[in-house]
Amino acid sequence: MSDNQNQGIDQPPSFSERSRSVSFSKLLSKSWKWNTNSNNNSTSPNNSTQVSNSSHDNLSSQSNLKSKEIDHVQEESVHVTPTTVVTPADTEMSSRFSKFKSMFQSNSSNNMSPANYNVNNSSTILKGSGKSQQDSLQVDTKDKNTSSGKGESTPPVLRSPNHAHLEAHYHPYDSPSQISKSNPRSPMSEPLNEEFTFQQQGAAFSNNNSTGRKRSPSAPVMPKQDSSILDSSTLSMNSGYAPPSNLSSTTSSPYQTKNLSNISLGDIKEDEQVHKFNEFKSPLRNGSSGLIQKIASPLKGFSQGNSPNESKESIQPFPSIIVGLTDEEHDESHLANIQRSGQKTPQMRSPTRKNKHLQQPANPNKDITDITISDFQPKMPPKPFITDEPKRSQRLRTKSFSNKFKDITVSPKSFEKVRLLGQGDVGKVFLVKQKNTNRLYALKVFNKAQMIKRKKVKRVLVEQEILATSNHPFIVTLYHSFQSEDYLYLCMEYCMGGEFFRALQTRKSKCICEEDAKFYASEVTAALEYLHLLGFIYRDLKPENILLHRSGHIMLSDFDLSIQAQDASNVKIKSPLITSGHYQSAMIDTKVFSDGFRTNSFVGTEEYIAPEVIRGNGHTAAVDWWTLGILIYEMLFGMTPFKGGDTNKTFSNILKNDITFPNNNDISRHCKDLIKKLLCKNESKRLGCKMGAADIKRHPFFKKVQWSFLRNQEPPLIPKLTENGFDFAATSTKNKKNKEAALHKSPDESNTDIGDDTEETKIDYSKVDISLLSMEDQEKVMFDEPVATDDEVPEDDPFHNFNSMSLMEKDNESMIYGDNNSYGKIAYTPNANRSRSNSHRAFFKK
Ligand SMILES: Nc1ncnc2c1ncn2[C@@H]1O[C@H](COP(=O)(O)OP(=O)(O)OP(=O)(O)O)[C@@H](O)[C@H]1O
């Protein structure tokens, strides 16, 4: 990877830690690829249609195909699906986006619409018998040979005429050994005794597998058939959900012919929820969209004005006042219309109104005592705008987060890469510097083609929705999100402290004391409470997804596995406020926001997965409280409680084993009680099942926690930048030299020169297939493509709902790059100011 060249810094020594960081659903599609060779063929491919209503369609079909074939079928089905036929007119119309439309439609079920985010395409991939799949493969091969890609009437799925390259470039994880090489998790150095220092560097995200913690190759392997793990009684069917596996292989249930090792993301029964998710209207959404309709007529009214300026304004497509109109302002606009149209004014309003221009013109018949100074002022044309209100596209205005965001103010070119921070399943996260402000951000970049191919479209849309909707001190701030022709970008607050997991690992014992664990558990509880309040279930809590802000406070990140309960809009809070003991903290019943919501996806991270997820009975927001229990345990003991030798054993332990606490650890009775109650295998008895977060906050373990003052407390560990690390200025110069030296040619198209990014040489993106470029060149395109504004992305584009927008926040608190800053090494220094015994008292003493 190019970062290797960029960094020029030492690789950190590798950890011999357990690697566990993979989130399940993110690798399921890989897992079935890897396991298909070893699967038995007990079920005919056609059987898959018999269970077409279940979430497990075609699993047996999958087992009949060798992994290679499946790859081909998956890939080639893109070509044969009739919906991929694009007329030349269509192609011309939306040339920049049509390739994704056709990819998405081909890769999805027939009734797919972009608005549904329906990425469950397993039936598309494997529909019919193995023979027809073979047939389609042959047909596709022909297509492949004849298709010349974009601009022709043959389906221009991608610009590349050779899709084999896609697999090579976008799927570097074709085998467990490859994944361990190419998809390592964030690297760490060895703990350096008291200093707890590690090298935080992107260079380790290259193909060099000797560095850093890796994603576990075994993690994506789902449990094999093993009747010892589950007996049929543990597979409760009473919820109406089918178990996703045949963990109990002895019975003849159709479901039990399937193996979890075969399950793919496409088999996850999320479409129902997603469908309802789309129907879901939050109060905010209702408000904004309703408001737009309401004010449509006043705007028309303005256009009837006599002033030329007035009519000019009236044709402005997206007057930004629209969303910002209060009811009062709306009334006022309406009033003005009525007055203009000669109708009798129903009621005169106060002259202290904001929009003075809407006041009545001087009335000659008016009593002299009624005349005000405004009567003598030149009459300004009606302005349907509040000047400091930024413009928002029509689409953005209808979003629940429209009050937070304005139209996009940046583009990929606005940022300069500092280094790679991390690489997730489908996204790369870069530390970037905004060129004109020197502000530092974490820029998460997703490859669109890869998102479609790996069925992650819905997930990235959910991630954007949650990040954009959230406004909480313990949830990472989204500053900008935008898309270009080939990429999606989430520009977030840079959490300088990196993963909390690293901080734990840099401790000698890999664990922290109970008081410190209480601090982090409190902050996580507060963040989960907030998410639940919005109706989101996080589903992937683990130390890897908890980032540390430079202040040392936590920041939850990575929401692509989250889901929104569909009934959050109709929530009636029965007992909104309850008090907690002596401290009278206000607590909200957060459980009502996801009451009655169950989802059946197999998501999570192996050691953190809740029993109900393994059982496949569907799960609720209670999974987040289970994961909180595991997290607290891991913080205290440096390991998770149910980890087994392999996935099967881990799942078996989760389902059957009681929680035990290592002997030599001195933790309080209350703490053990909390963990036990959170790790209750029966979710209906688990702590949190009654009132959600309020139940947890009222537990005696948290008795002395000042929930309202969490943000003001001293965190136990403070990340500190140290010297001699990555030097941005040096790398920047080096990059420049590299760029000058590099000859950027597409391997396939010798006459296609993507050029460099100097002013003189413009890149013709339409002629470049980014999948054929080296990683370095792909990154170059990533930081050079023009931004696609909301209105540019056609409605039928799969990424239409990914808004390009910027946070309206005036006081941007993001870090500013300075000359003396170094971003290579972070040390976690124990906070000397923090009392370990009774932190809340210490806080008030200060
Ligand atoms: N805001 C941020 N500040 C600093 N580092 C970050 C930030 N966001 C992400 N990272 C780093 O990038 C890594 C990958 O990010 P993230 O987990 O969001 O990607 P992902 O594709 O969803 O990964 P995964 O598949 O592991 O969930 C993180 O583990 C972290 O090290």
Side-chain angles (χ1 to χ4, degrees):
M1 182 165 310
S2 60
D3 289 82
N4 265 343
Q5 300 145 20
N6 296 345
Q7 314 308 316
I9 49 178
D10 297 336
Q11 301 285 336
S14 66
F15 261 65
S16 57
E17 301 304 323
R18 53 123 178 82
S19 44
R20 183 217 54 213
S21 61
V22 174
S23 305
F24 254 101
S25 81
K26 300 182 180 183
L27 287 159
L28 291 174
S29 52
K30 292 170 203 158
S31 74
W32 61 251
K33 274 203 247 175
W34 297 346
N35 286 287
T36 43
N37 283 330
S38 59
N39 291 333
N40 65 47
N41 297 339
S42 58
T43 310
S44 81
N46 291 330
N47 285 352
S48 61
T49 55
Q50 293 166 9
V51 287
S52 58
N53 288 333
S54 86
S55 60
H56 317 297
D57 292 6
N58 307 308
L59 283 172
S60 22
S61 299
Q62 292 173 19
S63 70
N64 278 350
L65 292 170
K66 289 184 177 175
S67 60
K68 194 92 177 162
E69 289 170 339
I70 291 176
D71 288 348
H72 278 286
V73 172
Q74 181 179 19
E75 188 177 301
E76 303 301 340
S77 63
V78 168
H79 297 272
V80 292
T81 308
T83 54
T84 60
V85 176
V86 179
T87 66
D90 289 341
T91 310
E92 197 179 333
M93 187 183 67
S94 57
S95 57
R96 288 182 69 197
F97 298 97
S98 57
K99 59 180 176 177
F100 293 116
K101 176 187 161 191
S102 53
M103 267 184 87
F104 188 69
Q105 287 175 339
S106 310
N107 211 21
S108 308
S109 54
N110 286 341
N111 60 352
M112 168 82 66
S113 84
N116 283 340
Y117 310 153
N118 184 345
V119 290
N120 183 347
N121 63 350
S122 60
S123 58
T124 306
I125 298 168
L126 294 163
K127 206 173 274 175
S129 68
K131 182 171 184 308
S132 65
Q133 290 155 12
Q134 290 298 334
D135 289 345
S136 66
L137 189 63
Q138 288 158 15
V139 171
D140 292 337
T141 310
K142 265 187 248 158
D143 273 1
K144 192 190 286 184
N145 295 335
T146 54
S147 168
S148 57
K150 192 176 169 185
E152 295 194 14
S153 56
T154 47
V157 177
L158 281 173
R159 283 175 299 199
S160 165
N162 184 352
H163 294 239
H165 287 280
L166 271 181
E167 197 67 18
H169 283 274
Y170 293 155
H171 295 270
Y173 318 133
D174 281 337
S175 72
S177 61
Q178 278 170 293
I179 189 173
S180 68
K181 279 184 185 172
S182 56
N183 194 13
R185 191 74 168 165
S186 315
M188 298 166 295
S189 71
E190 287 288 359
L192 299 180
N193 299 329
E194 301 299 331
E195 265 299 289
F196 310 138
T197 304
F198 74 92
Q199 186 96 21
Q200 189 189 47
Q201 59 146 298
F205 291 90
S206 66
N207 286 336
N208 184 345
N209 68 349
S210 67
T211 59
R213 181 162 59 83
K214 317 285 191 304
R215 286 174 184 273
S216 162
S218 66
V221 180
M222 304 292 283
K224 303 248 165 44
Q225 292 183 23
D226 181 355
S227 56
S228 68
I229 294 178
L230 288 171
D231 53 39
S232 50
S233 62
T234 61
L235 293 173
S236 162
M237 304 284 283
N238 58 12
S239 67
Y241 286 91
S245 76
N246 63 337
L247 288 175
S248 170
S249 59
T250 50
T251 68
S252 57
S253 157
Y255 304 118
Q256 290 163 355
T257 62
K258 302 181 185 88
N259 185 325
L260 267 183
S261 60
N262 282 337
I263 199 166
S264 77
L265 179 63
D267 301 305
I268 290 170
K269 189 180 177 182
E270 269 197 324
D271 292 346
E272 282 172 29
Q273 283 81 23
V274 170
H275 184 64
K276 285 169 186 164
F277 170 81
N278 288 325
E279 287 171 4
F280 166 75
K281 295 275 185 291
S282 77
L284 267 172
R285 283 183 193 157
N286 283 335
S288 54
S289 55
L291 191 54
I292 286 165
Q293 285 173 2
K294 270 206 300 185
I295 54 121
S297 95
L299 280 173
K300 270 186 199 158
F302 287 137
S303 69
Q304 292 160 6
N306 296 327
S307 151
N309 289 342
E310 193 175 327
S311 54
K312 220 185 245 173
E313 279 172 0
S314 70
I315 57 166
Q316 180 154 339
F318 307 117
S320 58
I321 196 173
I322 288 177
V323 172
L325 271 176
T326 61
D327 280 349
E328 189 184 49
E329 287 160 342
H330 164 240
D331 289 344
E332 194 166 41
S333 308
H334 188 57
L335 182 72
N337 293 332
I338 291 172
Q339 288 162 352
R340 268 193 212 94
S341 62
Q343 292 174 27
K344 197 176 174 201
T345 308
Q347 187 188 356
M348 290 304 290
R349 309 295 293 258
S350 157
T352 59
R353 310 294 296 256
K354 287 181 203 162
N355 293 352
K356 294 269 193 281
H357 57 268
L358 292 176
Q359 287 180 10
Q360 284 278 294
N363 183 346
N365 302 325
K366 201 172 168 183
D367 190 292
I368 190 75
T369 54
D370 286 343
I371 294 176
T372 66
I373 189 138
S374 64
D375 291 322
F376 301 98
Q377 287 170 345
K379 296 291 173 256
M380 300 299 290
K383 278 190 186 168
F385 307 104
I386 294 171
T387 45
D388 59 355
E389 191 78 359
K391 184 184 159 196
R392 274 161 290 187
S393 74
Q394 187 165 22
R395 189 149 62 80
L396 180 53
R397 274 181 285 155
T398 63
K399 296 283 184 166
S400 62
F401 39 77
S402 64
N403 55 339
K404 278 175 68 187
F405 287 90
K406 57 186 172 184
D407 281 353
I408 187 69
T409 57
V410 295
S411 78
K413 282 183 180 173
S414 309
F415 301 97
E416 186 166 352
K417 185 180 99 174
V418 178
R419 66 183 175 81
L420 189 66
L421 284 172
Q423 181 161 353
D425 185 35
V426 288
K428 277 183 172 180
V429 184
F430 299 95
L431 172 63
V432 295
K433 186 188 79 148
Q434 191 173 356
K435 288 174 188 165
N436 62 346
T437 61
N438 268 358
R439 288 192 181 279
L440 288 170
Y441 297 100
L443 187 68
K444 190 166 176 177
V445 188
F446 306 88
N447 181 308
K448 283 183 177 180
Q450 191 179 8
M451 304 292 295
I452 293 175
K453 199 167 169 59
R454 298 186 50 196
K455 304 159 215 159
K456 308 279 184 179
V457 176
K458 182 193 72 181
R459 298 207 177 275
V460 74
L461 293 171
V462 168
E463 186 162 14
Q464 188 200 34
E465 175 97 12
I466 295 179
L467 283 170
T469 310
S470 302
N471 181 9
H472 193 272
F474 305 140
I475 292 176
V476 73
T477 306
L478 181 72
Y479 284 102
H480 310 277
S481 68
F482 48 95
Q483 58 177 299
S484 66
E485 182 179 355
D486 292 296
Y487 295 99
L488 304 175
Y489 306 78
L490 293 173
C491 182
M492 301 171 287
E493 176 158 17
Y494 168 49
C495 299
M496 185 267 268
E499 294 177 7
F500 178 55
F501 181 81
R502 289 179 192 162
L504 282 180
Q505 293 294 312
T506 52
R507 309 301 299 263
K508 263 185 195 161
S509 54
K510 313 278 185 285
C511 54
I512 51 181
C513 70
E514 188 175 321
E515 270 311 304
D516 292 353
K518 186 185 293 183
F519 173 88
Y520 292 115
S522 313
E523 296 204 331
V524 168
T525 303
L528 290 177
E529 176 183 46
Y530 178 78
L531 287 173
H532 290 184
L533 206 71
L534 296 178
F536 296 118
I537 308 175
Y538 185 40
R539 305 201 296 185
D540 201 17
L541 182 67
K542 54 181 175 180
E544 292 89 333
N545 284 343
I546 299 171
L547 302 178
L548 290 182
H549 186 260
R550 63 179 185 272
S551 62
H553 289 277
I554 68 133
M555 288 268 181
L556 281 197
S557 75
D558 201 2
F559 295 93
D560 56 349
L561 290 194
S562 305
I563 194 163
Q564 185 161 28
Q566 62 259 57
D567 291 323
S569 58
N570 303 321
V571 171
K572 297 219 175 6
I573 305 174
K574 286 163 261 165
S575 49
L577 293 182
I578 57 172
T579 55
S580 170
H582 177 66
Y583 293 98
Q584 304 287 307
S585 307
M587 294 194 186
I588 297 171
D589 175 357
T590 54
K591 187 169 171 284
V592 291
F593 290 91
S594 56
D595 254 356
F597 176 79
R598 290 187 81 79
T599 180
N600 201 32
S601 314
F602 196 94
V603 293
T605 298
E606 182 178 319
E607 292 166 55
Y608 274 74
I609 235 158
E612 61 267 30
V613 177
I614 301 174
R615 288 192 199 106
N617 300 339
H619 57 268
T620 65
V623 292
D624 285 343
W625 303 125
W626 171 275
T627 54
L628 177 66
I630 305 275
L631 176 74
I632 297 174
Y633 190 101
E634 185 169 10
M635 287 192 285
L636 293 169
F637 301 109
M639 60 185 181
T640 54
F642 301 115
K643 182 164 173 56
D646 58 21
T647 309
N648 276 2
K649 189 68 187 136
T650 301
F651 285 179
S652 171
N653 293 343
I654 290 170
L655 292 169
K656 289 178 174 173
N657 285 8
D658 287 334
I659 186 88
T660 56
F661 300 99
N663 285 335
N664 298 327
N665 204 297
D666 184 23
I667 65 164
S668 71
R669 177 171 53 90
H670 286 324
C671 185
K672 283 181 187 164
D673 184 69
L674 174 71
I675 293 173
K676 276 184 186 162
K677 285 180 172 158
L678 289 171
L679 296 181
C680 174
K681 297 187 196 306
N682 181 346
E683 59 172 317
S684 64
K685 293 185 179 161
R686 190 174 302 152
L687 193 65
C689 74
K690 292 198 180 86
M691 293 185 73
D695 295 340
I696 286 94
K697 290 164 85 173
R698 278 184 295 173
H699 188 277
F701 177 68
F702 291 121
K703 191 176 174 194
K704 291 172 180 171
V705 170
Q706 288 289 312
W707 293 99
S708 318
F709 293 103
L710 280 178
R711 187 69 202 269
N712 304 86
Q713 293 189 11
E714 296 272 2
L717 296 172
I718 309 289
K720 287 238 171 2
L721 293 171
T722 60
E723 291 179 353
N724 304 321
F726 174 78
D727 180 74
F728 175 73
T731 307
S732 188
T733 318
K734 196 175 171 188
N735 275 348
K736 211 173 168 191
K737 282 183 187 158
N738 283 347
K739 279 173 192 168
E740 282 163 10
L743 186 66
H744 299 290
K745 296 253 184 207
S746 161
D748 244 13
E749 304 169 57
S750 55
N751 59 349
T752 302
D753 187 356
I754 68 164
D756 59 36
D757 57 359
T758 58
E759 289 294 319
E760 297 78 40
T761 317
K762 291 277 176 234
I763 299 173
D764 185 354
Y765 294 103
S766 64
K767 290 184 182 165
V768 179
D769 179 350
I770 56 166
S771 70
L772 301 177
L773 300 179
S774 68
M775 294 306 277
E776 190 179 359
D777 283 339
Q778 284 190 31
E779 280 182 16
K780 190 174 160 57
V781 176
M782 214 178 263
F783 282 93
D784 207 19
E785 280 195 329
V787 75
T789 59
D790 280 0
D791 308 313
E792 264 185 277
V793 185
E795 274 186 31
D796 54 2
D797 185 275
F799 300 102
H800 174 77
N801 282 303
F802 189 93
N803 282 82
S804 288
M805 59 195 185
S806 294
L807 191 67
M808 277 196 250
E809 202 74 44
K810 290 196 181 71
D811 47 346
N812 187 328
E813 290 180 357
S814 53
M815 284 177 73
I816 298 201
Y817 176 80
D819 289 343
N820 299 324
N821 284 350
S822 152
Y823 301 96
K825 284 183 179 173
I826 305 285
Y828 296 104
T829 50
N831 189 344
N833 296 331
R834 190 178 147 82
S835 158
R836 258 60 187 171
S837 55
N838 213 337
S839 57
H840 72 284
R841 283 193 194 146
F843 170 70
F844 281 108
K845 271 184 198 163
K846 282 173 201 156

